[in-house]
Amino acid sequence: WQVAQDYSAAASYSWNTTGLATGVWQLDVYVRQAGSTVDKDAYAQPQNYQLGGSPCSSVSFTTSPASPQSVGTVVTINASSTGCTSPTYKYFVMPPGGAWQVAQDYSAAASFSWNTAGLAAGVWQLDVYVRQAGSLADKEAYAQPQNFQLN
């Protein structure tokens, strides 16, 4: 944390962001009674502020090789996005009759190698989320889930 403006009677502050790094910054405010020497009487809950960068507007993906494939095949999921300058991707798989599982959490990797060795045969679902690097959003865009047949 850095002090942007020390205690004063001013109820507002103008933050000059020129030259600062893009990403998520946290902002907070402390308050104390005039003349007090305590660190703070109260404080606001810190808030996140996205500086620079654009949110991602869409994401799509392809698989290589294409469905259907035999159990044991390594399938590469290749994602691409629009709208953001530094996308990060999160990959999901859902087994037949199961629930969504995170296969790889957010990273800058635009591809993910899904190793199907030992997995159940049947129709799996695949999906990808995307968000701008530094964003704390759950997702800014997501692809339409795709079925993938494992034999």
Side-chain angles (χ1 to χ4, degrees), residues 24-72:
V24 177
W25 289 72
Q26 285 196 314
L27 308 175
D28 201 2
V29 177
Y30 287 7
V31 63
R32 69 179 181 194
Q33 182 66 35
S36 175
T37 58
V38 298
D39 181 46
K40 60 185 173 286
D41 287 330
Y43 63 95
Q45 186 66 28
Q47 293 186 16
N48 294 321
Y49 185 87
Q50 176 72 42
L51 183 60
S54 300
C56 302
S57 56
S58 70
V59 63
S60 61
F61 68 95
T62 59
T63 59
S64 179
S67 179
Q69 292 297 318
S70 299
V71 169

Side-chain angles (χ1 to χ4, degrees), residues 102-120:
V102 175
Q104 179 176 294
D105 210 345
Y106 279 109
S107 76
S111 65
F112 168 70
S113 293
W114 179 39
N115 186 348
T116 67
L119 298 181

Side-chain angles (χ1 to χ4, degrees), residues 69-146:
Q69 292 297 318
S70 299
V71 169
T73 302
V74 175
V75 177
T76 302
I77 303 168
N78 296 298
S80 63
S81 60
T82 59
C84 49
T85 54
S86 298
T88 58
Y89 301 94
K90 186 174 186 177
Y91 299 87
F92 295 88
V93 297
M94 185 170 68
W100 286 107
Q101 303 166 7
V102 175
Q104 179 176 294
D105 210 345
Y106 279 109
S107 76
S111 65
F112 168 70
S113 293
W114 179 39
N115 186 348
T116 67
L119 298 181
V123 177
W124 287 69
Q125 287 199 328
L126 310 175
D127 202 3
V128 178
Y129 286 5
V130 67
R131 69 182 182 191
Q132 176 75 14
S135 173
L136 298 178
D138 176 51
K139 61 184 172 294
E140 293 174 351
Y142 63 95
Q144 183 69 29
Q146 294 181 19

